Amino acid sequence: MNRVPDLPMRFLSLLFVFPLLAFAAPRTEHVFVISFDGGNPTIIQQAEMPNFKRLASEGACTWKARTILPSKTLPSHTAMLTGVDIAKHQIDWNDFFPLRGYVKVPTVFELLKAAQPNAATALFCGKIKFRHLWKPGTLDVFNCGSTYGPEPIPASEEKKLVPAQAVAAHAVPYILEKKPQLCFIHFPDIDSAGHKSGWGSPEQMVAFKVCDQALGQILGAIEKAGLTASSTLILTADHGGSLKNHFNPIPSDTNIPWVVWGKAAKKQHPITKKSIFTHDTAATILWLFDVPLPANFDGEPVLEAFND
Ligand SMILES: [Zn+2]
């Protein structure tokens, strides 16, 4: 009959244990970043994109985040995935040049792996130039229509372009099987249609719709894998576009959407912070995983978007 005196001790021990548990609890378990190449936020709001719009209205959202200058695909995605502007990451070209090797600053995949070696990381893209962001040991999967190992990309594939539906078709089985901690997915179709037919053209509106269907495939995979409650999604773009291009320093070219949805994200929250940049995506990813930001980071986590 010594049980009663035990109770205060148990209560005290709980007081010690619970704060530690709360401190150690991760903000999220999985982060999916989905980039809509050329996703001009004004046109997204007019397009037939029910999945994108649902996440934007249910989560935290701004249509006025900004990319770097010049607003080009590879420099911008490099900023998005390294947390630093072009002056630091130094990828100032926008094609695949194998001899230039990979980016010289750490990527978010690299920083996460360094902090959490067992974290599964993957990059699924529609343009082979993302290969410049592949560094040995930082990505479990680099997929551009097929999964590439450490061997050089064949010269015949240096202009490879993979449509969104095919990118999603490769990402889906990986998500189901590996349940990755950090998964980046890139859909190129909006940009391709914009360069060919113009931003806002009927042909491009079809591409917006197709990319939203690809997003639907990813959302379906996350759901089927049982990850919905434990995942945070970031929907964004590398640049917008107008007429048939996107490199002018004007809002239609440089504004990008920035949506956070899922675990830890505020619900139905219009983000009011005015200066959100594409490199803040990297900082937000690391903050979600409780990985310290390197000292020279330009990006900062968009704390306003989260409940923490
Ligand atoms: Zn682009």
Side-chain angles (χ1 to χ4, degrees), residues 226-305:
L227 305 180
T228 303
S230 55
S231 294
T232 308
L233 275 66
I234 299 176
L235 310 183
T236 187
D238 54 342
H239 51 74
S242 52
L243 300 177
K244 290 187 176 178
N245 226 314
H246 52 71
F247 50 69
N248 292 307
I250 53 176
S252 61
D253 290 12
T254 59
N255 279 0
I256 54 173
W258 207 84
V259 174
V260 177
W261 179 92
K263 187 165 185 184
K266 279 184 183 162
K267 289 189 172 25
Q268 299 181 325
H269 178 77
I271 298 172
T272 56
K273 185 171 185 278
K274 287 197 168 46
S275 55
I276 293 177
F277 292 97
T278 194
H279 35 259
D280 293 340
T281 298
T284 302
I285 294 166
L286 296 177
W287 176 81
L288 280 165
F289 286 121
D290 212 13
V291 175
L293 306 190
N296 71 338
F297 243 46
D298 293 319
E300 54 184 56
V302 184
L303 300 179
E304 183 199 326

Side-chain angles (χ1 to χ4, degrees), residues 36-39 71-74 76-77 94 127 129 186 191 195 199 238-240 246:
F36 295 74
D37 200 316
S71 46
K72 293 185 176 181
T73 302
L74 188 58
S76 171
H77 277 114
N94 195 30
K127 293 178 175 175
K129 56 190 168 190
H186 163 257
D191 182 74
H195 285 294
W199 260 259
D238 54 342
H239 51 74
H246 52 71

Side-chain angles (χ1 to χ4, degrees), residues 10-307:
R10 285 186 184 176
F11 179 70
L12 277 173
S13 65
L14 286 176
L15 275 180
F16 282 109
V17 169
F18 270 116
L20 289 173
L21 286 175
F23 182 75
R27 296 185 174 99
T28 193
E29 291 160 57
H30 310 272
V31 174
F32 294 87
V33 180
I34 302 161
S35 178
F36 295 74
D37 200 316
N40 177 318
T42 304
I43 306 177
I44 285 177
Q45 291 174 86
Q46 299 160 357
E48 192 176 338
M49 299 187 77
N51 293 309
F52 195 113
K53 289 179 183 177
R54 178 174 69 82
L55 267 54
S57 66
E58 289 179 1
C61 169
T62 174
W63 303 105
K64 291 187 175 173
R66 278 176 285 163
T67 191
I68 61 158
L69 300 176
S71 46
K72 293 185 176 181
T73 302
L74 188 58
S76 171
H77 277 114
T78 304
M80 186 192 294
L81 295 171
T82 63
V84 295
D85 208 335
I86 196 166
K88 291 178 189 166
H89 72 57
Q90 296 189 352
I91 291 200
D92 55 2
W93 64 90
N94 195 30
D95 278 304
F96 178 46
F97 294 116
L99 293 178
R100 296 187 186 181
Y102 46 76
V103 64
K104 301 298 188 287
V105 296
T107 68
V108 280
F109 310 108
E110 183 176 357
L111 293 164
L112 178 61
K113 279 277 193 193
Q116 301 173 24
N118 293 327
T121 57
L123 186 155
F124 294 85
C125 61
K127 293 178 175 175
I128 201 75
K129 56 190 168 190
F130 276 86
R131 184 66 169 182
H132 287 294
L133 301 179
W134 175 89
K135 298 169 88 170
T138 67
L139 277 163
D140 298 337
V141 170
F142 175 87
N143 183 293
C144 185
S146 57
T147 294
Y148 292 85
E151 309 78 28
I153 303 286
S156 61
E157 297 178 18
E158 288 178 6
K159 297 279 184 192
K160 192 174 185 184
L161 185 70
V162 183
Q165 301 276 358
V167 173
H170 282 92
V172 164
Y174 175 78
I175 293 167
L176 291 173
E177 185 188 346
K178 297 293 185 185
K179 300 179 169 51
Q181 271 62 58
L182 178 55
C183 185
F184 173 82
I185 299 165
H186 163 257
F187 296 144
D189 307 37
I190 296 167
D191 182 74
S192 304
H195 285 294
K196 189 167 176 238
S197 306
W199 260 259
S201 65
E203 294 83 354
Q204 199 196 35
M205 297 314 275
V206 173
F208 276 95
K209 181 179 173 182
V210 165
C211 286
D212 193 69
Q213 291 167 346
L215 170 61
Q217 290 176 246
I218 301 301
L219 293 173
I222 292 170
E223 179 74 37
K224 196 172 171 187
L227 305 180
T228 303
S230 55
S231 294
T232 308
L233 275 66
I234 299 176
L235 310 183
T236 187
D238 54 342
H239 51 74
S242 52
L243 300 177
K244 290 187 176 178
N245 226 314
H246 52 71
F247 50 69
N248 292 307
I250 53 176
S252 61
D253 290 12
T254 59
N255 279 0
I256 54 173
W258 207 84
V259 174
V260 177
W261 179 92
K263 187 165 185 184
K266 279 184 183 162
K267 289 189 172 25
Q268 299 181 325
H269 178 77
I271 298 172
T272 56
K273 185 171 185 278
K274 287 197 168 46
S275 55
I276 293 177
F277 292 97
T278 194
H279 35 259
D280 293 340
T281 298
T284 302
I285 294 166
L286 296 177
W287 176 81
L288 280 165
F289 286 121
D290 212 13
V291 175
L293 306 190
N296 71 338
F297 243 46
D298 293 319
E300 54 184 56
V302 184
L303 300 179
E304 183 199 326
F306 297 94
N307 294 316

